[in-house]
Amino acid sequence: MGLYDSDRTESRLRAALTEGEIPVAVYGLGKMGLPLAAVYAETTGNVTGVDVDPDVVETVTAGESHVVGEPGLDDLVADQVSADRLDATTDGPAAAADARVHVVIVPTLLDEDDRPNLTTVESVADDVAAGLEPGDLVVAESTLPPGTCRDVLLPHLAAESGLEPGEFGLAFCPERTSSGTALRDIRGQYPKVVGGVDDESTRAAAIVYDELSSNEVHPVSDATTAEAVKVFEGVYRDVNIALANELGLLADELDVSVREAIDTANDLPMCQLHDPGPGVGGHCIPYYPHFLLSELDEPMALTRTARDVNDGMPSVVVDRLERELAAVGTDLADATVAVLGLTYRPGVEETRASPALDVVDELNERGAAVAGVDPLVDPAAYGARPIAIDDLADADLDAAVVVTPHEAFDRIPWAELDPMVVVDGRDAIDLAGTDHRTYTLAGSRDGHPPREFGRDDPASGPTSDSPSTAPGRTETDGGEDV
């Protein structure tokens, strides 16, 4: 039974979907794909997850989750697998042959020219096409350049399957999900956007997500509009973060706490300034602007400038560190510097586009001896000598740079460490009462308490929920990951 162009009533289609009569295949079992597959399984009871990595498939079929730091996912995967509602395979065409709803959630990366690389998405489309039948619905959740469903996926699926457009459905339904809150987000934290290549595709996708999500389903005019919604969300945040970073650079010249000024300005609901920081990371904000910049004739000067500002922040951090070291008579090239936090977000085991990696590279290029501290990844893999948190007191450091404030850093005994220069890129640590020379991006003042991003970090949610009360506010560490 298919959902697309069916003569069955909507109530019958809903019943068939939730009773397991309409098999679902989810292609991509990464940080967002596995939670999505698990929620599909608890909703429909008949899901096959597809991934190219045999280790991932083996883990999932054993009822385990390979995704770290996702509350509730371990138990959900175990429950769904044990109940025979969720399975996994590396055989995409076989899964496609059995499925009637095909959900694609694989990453869209950039090539060396910062152009979107659709190779992975098109490879999955080949697998889907191998089993595509009339009445099937294909749903793309992967973030795509606007126009991809209409101009790339629809003709590709038609050509490879031998079906005509109109015999199967295709809709774009962007994931609006953040690492660390994936199950909450998928189940209905935000309205679910759906847009099809035709009206019937939109209708069919709306039925699916109305069952999957407790929140409103928001149909838009077409798939290209839905694609634009997701990209525009990322561009908005990138531009706002760049503005915050640029304002933060005024702290020294104005001799004010820009963070205090931003916090106070955000008392007005029409002001939603983000927080300054050492850069933007993750598979979201640093990538999505290029989906427009590289594909369209419009120059988009503001968006391009925002990218340049945010890409340049790691160098700004190292410049500030070099200046602060010079003030105490230490040459950066002779200094030993610890970089605290290499992942792009606290508590998330992901380093893609993390500004910390650029900070490490810049320090190495300027001759510093670089150490790295991170509870989730091995700093040695990124050009830094690993140091455990408990060994910092014996590390003979000249400086430390806080890039990603993991909760574990609360254990650092700052008062027991020899005096050093500390550049706090997130305004996340409290060094009051110590002898360290402290520099905070955006110039926080004594009495302005540090933020507690590491404990319960809702920042970087797809619609920008944050520690601030200002709607749309977020700090600068990126967004969701496929």
Side-chain angles (χ1 to χ4, degrees):
M1 177 190 295
L3 280 168
Y4 180 84
D5 198 26
S6 173
D7 58 4
R8 305 207 176 204
T9 64
E10 181 174 316
S11 62
R12 181 68 188 94
L13 289 174
R14 288 177 180 271
L17 179 67
T18 56
E19 292 170 7
E21 296 178 31
I22 301 177
V24 178
V26 177
Y27 305 82
L29 296 177
K31 288 181 173 61
M32 294 299 108
L34 182 58
L36 183 64
V39 174
Y40 259 100
E42 74 174 348
T43 303
T44 71
N46 191 354
V47 174
T48 300
V50 181
D51 202 277
V52 296
D53 188 338
D55 292 336
V56 168
V57 168
E58 182 179 355
T59 299
V60 174
T61 55
E64 300 174 0
S65 167
H66 64 96
V67 178
V68 177
E70 208 56 73
L73 184 59
D74 290 349
D75 290 342
L76 182 59
V77 170
D79 291 346
Q80 298 306 309
V81 171
S82 65
D84 293 326
R85 300 167 69 87
L86 175 65
D87 196 5
T89 181
T90 58
D91 192 340
D98 292 337
R100 304 281 66 86
V101 174
H102 311 265
V103 184
V104 180
I105 183 163
V106 294
T108 304
L109 302 178
L110 300 176
D111 63 20
E112 61 274 10
D113 297 320
D114 286 334
R115 300 182 67 88
N117 185 339
L118 297 176
T119 301
T120 303
V121 174
E122 291 176 331
S123 176
V124 171
D126 288 339
D127 288 349
V128 173
L132 199 62
E133 295 184 5
D136 283 6
L137 174 67
V138 181
V139 174
E141 287 220 6
S142 308
T143 305
L144 299 170
T148 300
C149 283
R150 178 194 63 207
D151 300 333
V152 178
L153 289 183
L154 182 62
H156 191 102
L157 289 167
E160 296 299 319
S161 68
L163 300 178
E164 293 292 329
E167 291 187 87
F168 63 91
L170 172 61
F172 184 74
C173 307
E175 55 99 352
R176 304 177 112 187
T177 312
S178 184
S179 294
T181 57
L183 295 181
R184 180 205 71 176
D185 298 344
I186 294 166
R187 287 168 171 156
Q189 180 68 12
Y190 310 105
K192 188 65 179 181
V193 177
V194 301
V197 295
D198 53 37
D199 291 343
E200 178 60 17
S201 295
T202 302
R203 186 194 69 85
I207 290 174
V208 172
Y209 284 100
D210 194 45
E211 294 297 331
L212 209 69
S213 172
S214 62
N215 208 318
E216 172 192 2
V217 174
H218 186 154
V220 294
S221 299
D222 49 36
T224 302
T225 301
E227 291 164 337
V229 167
K230 180 59 185 291
V231 174
F232 287 5
E233 289 170 355
V235 170
Y236 161 79
R237 295 172 65 197
D238 199 35
V239 171
N240 197 322
I241 290 167
L243 174 60
N245 284 336
E246 192 166 68
L247 294 176
L249 299 179
L250 301 177
D252 294 343
E253 189 171 353
L254 292 177
D255 192 26
V256 301
S257 167
V258 170
R259 277 195 195 276
E260 182 182 3
I262 286 175
D263 285 347
T264 307
N266 283 341
D267 287 342
L268 291 177
M270 68 282 295
C271 188
Q272 299 177 19
L273 286 166
H274 290 11
D275 286 327
V280 178
H283 183 262
C284 178
I285 299 175
Y287 290 80
Y288 298 162
H290 292 291
F291 290 8
L292 303 176
L293 293 172
S294 63
E295 300 295 297
L296 303 176
D297 293 334
E298 181 63 37
M300 299 188 67
L302 178 62
T303 301
R304 195 174 301 278
T305 298
R307 272 287 72 234
D308 291 342
V309 168
N310 290 332
D311 280 345
M313 287 307 297
S315 293
V316 170
V317 170
V318 178
D319 288 342
R320 296 297 193 267
L321 174 63
E322 187 170 30
R323 185 189 68 187
E324 295 299 309
L325 282 169
V328 296
T330 301
D331 191 330
L332 178 60
D334 298 325
T336 299
V337 182
V339 177
L340 304 184
L342 299 184
T343 64
Y344 87 96
R345 272 189 60 194
V348 176
E349 188 183 7
E350 174 61 63
T351 59
R352 186 177 295 162
S354 173
L357 306 189
D358 290 330
V359 170
V360 169
D361 290 345
E362 187 89 13
L363 287 170
N364 280 322
E365 289 174 7
R366 300 194 196 186
V370 186
V373 186
D374 196 291
L376 298 180
V377 299
D378 181 7
Y382 305 99
R385 173 173 60 90
I387 296 181
I389 293 173
D390 295 335
D391 295 334
L392 281 170
D394 301 319
D396 192 23
L397 298 172
D398 297 293
V401 179
V402 180
V403 181
T404 306
H406 292 292
E407 183 177 355
F409 294 163
D410 287 348
R411 301 202 329 262
I412 297 176
W414 289 103
E416 300 175 18
L417 273 59
D418 291 336
M420 70 176 86
V421 171
V422 180
V423 174
D424 183 358
R426 299 292 187 187
D427 195 11
I429 58 175
D430 186 358
L431 297 179
T434 71
D435 294 326
H436 304 300
R437 180 182 179 90
T438 306
Y439 180 84
T440 303
L441 294 183
S444 288
R445 295 286 192 241
D446 291 341
H448 192 60
R451 301 180 183 281
E452 298 185 356
F453 292 130
R455 288 183 182 77
D456 182 16
D457 180 18
S460 74
T463 56
S464 306
D465 54 338
S466 81
S468 168
T469 57
R473 178 86 174 283
T474 184
E475 61 130 347
T476 61
D477 56 8
E480 62 276 33
D481 273 273
V482 174

